[in-house]
Amino acid sequence: MKDKLNDNYVKIGLCIFFAGAALILLYEAITNMGILTEAMRTLMRILSPFIYGLVMAYLLCPIYNAVVRKVYRFTKDRFKTRRGAFRFSRIIATVASLLFMMGVVGGFFAMVLPETINSLVNIVQIVPERLMDLAGWAEDSLAATKHPQLAEALDKMINNTRQNVIEWTEKDFLPRIGTYMTQISQGVIFTVKTLFNIVIGVIVCVYFLNSKELFKAQSRKTILALVSREKAKSIFELANFCNRTFGGFINGKLIDSLIIGLICFVGMNILGLPYPVLVSSIIGLTNVIPFFGPFIGAIPTGIIICVVSPIKAIYFLLWIIVLQTFDGNILGPKILGGSTGLASFWVMFAIILCGGVFGFIGMVLGVPVFAVIYYYVARFIDKKLGKKNLPVETLEYEEFNNYDINRKDIF
C-alpha cells in the first residue's frame, strides 16, 4: 500500500514538474519571440541545402521507384545475387532521375529565359511610348473640347513629373550609386550561395534516394522500440496517409500546372496575343497555388498585355476564364482526384490561413496539411459518435425541413 502511495506521489510530482517546466518554456518563448524567430531563420538558412535535397528527392521519388522496379525486374536473373541486381538498379535509377531533373530545369530555362528577357526589354521600350501617347491624347482631347485650363494643368503636371525625375536622379540616385553597387554585390553573393546550396542539395538528394529504405527501417525500428504496437501502427498509418496526401496533391498539381501552361501558350498563339512564353510561364507557375493561383497570375499578365493593347488584354482575360473553368471542372479533378478530400470552403480557408502565416510555401502546402488535420479530426469525431451508437454520416444531421413553411419552430 505504501509503495503504491509513493508511486502516486511520484507521478503527481513528475506531472507538476513537467507542467511547470512547460509553462516556463512557453513564457520564455513568448517574451523572446524575436530571438526565436531569428534563430529559426538562421537554422533554416544553415539547413537549406538539406531542405532543397529532400524536396528534390521527394519529387523525384516516383520516377526513381519506377526505374528501380523495371530495371530490377529485367536484371534480377542476370546477376549472381539479388542484392547486386538491386544495387545496379538503384544506380541506373539515380542517373535517370538526375537526368530527368536536369532536362526539365534546363529545358525550361532554355525555352523561357530568352523569350522572357526579350519580352521584358520590349515592355520597357513600349511603356514610355505609351505614356507619351496617353499624354498627347489627353492634351489633344482637352484642347479639342476647348478646355485650355485643364490642358495647361496637365502640361504643368507632366513638366513637374519630368523635373522631379531629374531632381531625383541628381540628388538621390547618383549619390547612392555606391550603395546600389554594394546591394548588387550582395545579390551576386547570395546567388552564388544559393547555387552552392543547390549543388549540395543535389548530393543530399542522391543520398536520400539511395538510403530511403534504410531511413524507413531505422524509423520503424525506433518507433517500435519506444511505443506499443498499437500506437506504432497508428503512427505508421499517419505517415502513409500523409505521404499519399502530399504526394498525390503536389505531383498532381505540378502536372496540372504544366498542362495549363502549355494550353495557355497554344491558345495565346492562336489568338495572336503578345508575350505568349512569358505570360504562359507566369500562369503555369501561379497555377500551383490552389484556388487563388489563376487570379494571382492573371492580374499582372493582364496588365502587361494591356500596355500593348487593351483590346487584346480583354481577349486574354476571357481566355483565362475559359482556361480556368476547364481546369477547375475537368482537368484538375481528373488529375488530382480525391487526393485531399476537402470541400472548396476548407481549401480557401487553408490557403488564406497558411498563406498569411507562412507566405507562398503556406499557400502551396496549406491544403494537404489541412487535409491531414481534417481527416484525423473527422475520424476522431466518428469514433466518438460510434461509441454513442450515433450515425457518422453528415447527411443524417442535415435538417432539410427547416424551410418548411408549416413549421412553427423556425428562428
Side-chain angles (χ1 to χ4, degrees), residues 71-82:
V71 175
Y72 179 73
R73 195 178 303 163
F74 180 73
T75 59
K76 63 181 180 180
D77 297 326
R78 302 174 185 270
F79 282 77
K80 294 181 179 179
T81 61
R82 296 291 178 92

Side-chain angles (χ1 to χ4, degrees), residues 314-375:
I314 295 174
Y315 293 156
F316 168 73
L317 292 177
L318 292 175
W319 166 237
I320 290 298
I321 291 172
V322 172
L323 185 63
Q324 294 305 328
T325 302
F326 165 72
D327 182 35
N329 295 287
I330 300 175
L331 182 63
K334 199 76 174 177
I335 295 175
L336 295 175
S339 59
T340 61
L342 289 178
S344 298
F345 173 82
W346 293 117
V347 171
M348 183 172 62
F349 177 81
I351 295 169
I352 293 174
L353 177 63
C354 298
V357 177
F358 300 105
F360 176 78
I361 299 297
M363 296 181 77
V364 176
L365 299 180
V367 173
V369 169
F370 195 84
V372 173
I373 297 172
Y374 183 91
Y375 172 78

Side-chain angles (χ1 to χ4, degrees), residues 116-137:
T116 302
I117 293 174
N118 292 334
S119 301
L120 293 175
V121 170
N122 291 333
I123 291 170
V124 171
Q125 292 174 348
I126 288 173
V127 167
E129 296 178 5
R130 291 291 180 267
L131 291 176
M132 293 301 296
D133 292 342
L134 179 63
W137 171 82

Side-chain angles (χ1 to χ4, degrees), residues 47-198:
L47 295 177
S48 57
F50 293 91
I51 296 173
Y52 295 155
L54 291 176
V55 170
M56 286 187 283
Y58 190 78
L59 294 177
L60 292 174
C61 214
I63 298 171
Y64 177 88
N65 291 338
V67 174
V68 167
R69 282 194 294 267
K70 290 185 178 181
V71 175
Y72 179 73
R73 195 178 303 163
F74 180 73
T75 59
K76 63 181 180 180
D77 297 326
R78 302 174 185 270
F79 282 77
K80 294 181 179 179
T81 61
R82 296 291 178 92
R83 186 173 293 275
F86 183 63
R87 287 177 180 173
F88 177 77
S89 302
R90 290 200 300 185
I91 293 172
I92 299 299
T94 302
V95 174
S97 301
L98 293 179
L99 288 176
F100 175 81
M101 181 179 68
M102 289 188 290
V104 170
V105 175
F108 176 79
F109 281 107
M111 290 187 298
V112 173
L113 195 58
E115 290 293 330
T116 302
I117 293 174
N118 292 334
S119 301
L120 293 175
V121 170
N122 291 333
I123 291 170
V124 171
Q125 292 174 348
I126 288 173
V127 167
E129 296 178 5
R130 291 291 180 267
L131 291 176
M132 293 301 296
D133 292 342
L134 179 63
W137 171 82
E139 189 174 354
D140 293 340
S141 299
L142 292 173
T145 54
K146 298 180 180 180
H147 290 87
Q149 294 179 347
L150 291 175
E152 184 181 352
L154 179 63
D155 186 60
K156 186 181 293 185
M157 183 181 69
I158 294 173
N159 291 330
N160 288 336
T161 303
R162 291 174 180 170
Q163 187 64 30
N164 290 333
V165 171
I166 294 172
E167 291 179 359
W168 174 80
T169 304
E170 293 177 350
K171 294 181 180 179
D172 293 333
F173 180 74
L174 293 177
R176 294 181 180 178
I177 287 181
T179 304
Y180 296 145
M181 292 301 295
T182 302
Q183 292 176 351
I184 292 172
S185 301
Q186 291 175 350
V188 172
I189 294 172
F190 175 77
T191 303
V192 172
K193 287 182 178 179
T194 302
L195 291 175
F196 177 76
N197 289 338
I198 291 174

Side-chain angles (χ1 to χ4, degrees), residues 239-315:
N240 290 328
F241 179 75
C242 290
N243 182 47
R244 289 195 306 272
T245 303
F246 276 81
F249 178 81
I250 295 173
N251 293 322
K253 201 62 183 172
L254 289 175
I255 295 171
D256 175 65
S257 300
L258 176 62
I259 295 173
I260 288 297
L262 292 174
I263 296 175
C264 181
F265 174 76
V266 173
M268 290 186 68
N269 279 294
I270 293 173
L271 295 172
L273 300 178
Y275 313 126
V277 175
L278 174 63
V279 172
S280 300
S281 301
I282 295 173
I283 293 296
L285 288 173
T286 55
N287 195 69
V288 176
I289 302 172
F291 200 82
F292 294 107
F295 305 103
I296 295 173
I299 292 172
T301 50
I303 294 173
I304 291 172
I305 296 175
C306 186
V307 172
V308 179
S309 172
I311 299 299
K312 290 185 176 181
I314 295 174
Y315 293 156

Side-chain angles (χ1 to χ4, degrees), residues 26-68:
L26 179 62
Y27 173 78
E28 291 295 330
I30 293 173
T31 55
N32 297 284
M33 188 62 69
I35 298 173
L36 287 175
T37 303
E38 186 61 31
M40 286 297 296
R41 288 176 180 171
T42 303
L43 181 63
M44 294 294 289
R45 188 165 57 250
I46 294 171
L47 295 177
S48 57
F50 293 91
I51 296 173
Y52 295 155
L54 291 176
V55 170
M56 286 187 283
Y58 190 78
L59 294 177
L60 292 174
C61 214
I63 298 171
Y64 177 88
N65 291 338
V67 174
V68 167

Side-chain angles (χ1 to χ4, degrees), residues 217-228:
Q218 290 174 339
S219 301
R220 291 177 62 88
K221 177 182 175 182
T222 304
I223 292 169
L224 287 169
L226 294 176
V227 300
S228 63

